[in-house]
Amino acid sequence: MTGSSGADGRGVFHDDFRLSITKALGDQLAQALRSLGRAPLSEESLAKLEERPGVYQLYVKGAFVYVGKADRRHKGLPGRLRNHLRKLSGRRNLDLADVTFSCLYVDEDFSALAPEQLLINHYKERGGIPWNNSGFGSKDPGRRRDTTVLKKDHFDVQYPINLDALVQGVTPGTNDLRTFLKKLKAGLPYNFRYVEPSRAADVSLEVPDGPLTADEAFRLASAALPVSWQITALLNYVIMYEEEEQYKSASRYYRAGEVVDQEPEKSSEPLTREDLGDIE
């Protein structure tokens, strides 16, 4: 009710009424999540979750940074949160021990109301959510965006990929280049996009025993590649093509087993919706 009246009695015995069901739902979701405790973002915690759709919130050192949703595509909440665990394990400037989460199972019928967006709208009124507005959770933007200069507030600038992260699943001993590249891509905690060189199955390389870092793996791969090929570590992922391209957002280049470091450029302009990319 408006509380004011016009000459026709509007506001006294007839007026408009707006019922915001979606706002009420968003407030209730936020309140339900606030009432929960928080668990470490770890395999031990995720193993206790049911494979059901829902919404979740991430925290770093107790600060609320991200709200997201999980559906059947992600194998429910544990699958989606496991994706985040893997991604964050490969980032610098971030200690996984500082990351916690809480979550709510949400019925399939309710998911049509986009509970993630309800929560985002709820928190927008209270100052927003840092990682929801910085590109966290974005898909690989594709070849056309490899030359993009990221902005200083982008998630990938604040938490660039860690080339000292360990690679999982690579077999020590003699590997052909084709198999090695496939295992490297699967075993990294961030995206590795590449074109396979011709006759890659006929080229061999020796993988040493013991833990293998991403940096060591890329050195091995580049030494086995023709000299016209380049591996480029950008702030957010790694690419491999036959080229001599210089990328403004690159931090390291690998060519013929040699390494060249570079200070990535960052833009001081504010983030826009286009910078955030498509969300997974």
Side-chain angles (χ1 to χ4, degrees):
M1 306 280 293
T2 64
S4 61
S5 59
D8 61 355
R10 186 177 181 87
V12 177
F13 66 92
H14 66 105
D15 209 341
D16 295 321
F17 175 76
R18 177 178 296 172
L19 176 63
S20 180
I21 295 176
T22 55
K23 183 179 185 305
L25 288 172
D27 293 346
Q28 290 179 45
L29 279 170
Q31 179 57 43
L33 282 161
R34 280 195 295 269
S35 69
L36 295 173
R38 299 169 193 168
L41 185 63
S42 65
E43 283 292 345
E44 183 180 4
S45 298
L46 300 184
K48 298 176 182 178
L49 297 179
E50 301 172 28
E51 289 190 2
R52 294 170 54 194
V55 290
Y56 59 89
Q57 296 186 168
L58 298 180
Y59 304 82
V60 176
K61 294 183 178 179
F64 176 39
V65 296
Y66 187 75
V67 59
K69 67 175 180 179
D71 54 30
R72 299 296 182 188
R73 293 175 303 150
H74 307 118
K75 295 186 177 179
L77 284 164
R80 182 61 168 157
L81 287 165
R82 192 167 282 113
N83 288 344
H84 291 329
L85 172 61
R86 184 168 184 257
K87 177 173 183 173
L88 295 176
S89 71
R91 297 288 171 149
R92 292 188 281 129
N93 306 330
L94 187 69
D95 188 339
L96 272 179
D98 294 330
V99 184
T100 56
F101 75 95
S102 59
C103 62
L104 290 172
Y105 302 112
V106 175
D107 291 335
E108 290 282 8
D109 290 345
F110 185 46
S111 66
L113 294 173
E116 175 193 30
Q117 191 58 51
L118 296 179
L119 284 166
I120 290 173
N121 292 341
H122 170 87
Y123 287 112
K124 271 184 178 179
E125 299 176 359
R126 293 156 177 80
I129 319 164
W131 287 6
N132 281 87
N133 302 309
S134 69
F136 176 73
S138 298
K139 298 177 181 178
D140 179 1
R143 186 70 168 138
R144 64 185 178 84
R145 298 293 294 273
D146 291 346
T147 57
T148 300
V149 175
L150 299 181
K151 296 174 181 176
K152 61 181 178 59
D153 293 327
H154 197 284
F155 176 85
D156 296 319
V157 172
Q158 298 178 54
Y159 306 101
I161 60 171
N162 183 7
L163 293 171
D164 292 325
L166 295 179
V167 181
Q168 305 296 324
V170 175
T171 307
T174 303
N175 284 247
D176 66 81
L177 181 59
R178 170 184 287 175
T179 301
F180 181 78
L181 291 172
K182 287 181 179 179
K183 290 184 176 180
L184 177 56
K185 179 178 178 66
L188 285 168
Y190 38 81
N191 190 41
F192 173 37
R193 178 172 12 97
Y194 68 93
V195 170
E196 183 181 301
S198 61
R199 304 183 64 82
D202 299 327
V203 177
S204 297
L205 52 84
E206 290 295 322
V207 179
D209 291 329
L212 183 72
T213 67
D215 177 69
E216 292 167 338
F218 290 131
R219 288 173 190 259
L220 287 173
S222 70
L225 290 167
V227 294
S228 57
W229 285 71
Q230 176 175 289
I231 299 175
T232 305
L234 302 170
L235 286 167
N236 40 358
Y237 51 91
V238 181
I239 56 176
M240 187 185 92
Y241 295 102
E242 185 175 17
E243 63 179 3
E244 295 184 10
E245 184 75 26
Q246 298 295 297
Y247 294 88
K248 293 181 179 180
S249 289
S251 62
R252 183 170 293 176
Y253 299 96
Y254 300 85
R255 181 183 287 272
E258 299 297 322
V259 170
V260 176
D261 287 322
Q262 172 182 296
E263 181 61 32
E265 288 188 28
K266 298 112 178 176
S267 170
S268 59
E269 296 180 7
L271 288 169
T272 65
R273 180 65 189 86
E274 185 179 358
D275 296 313
L276 307 186
D278 296 326
I279 303 300
E280 294 177 304

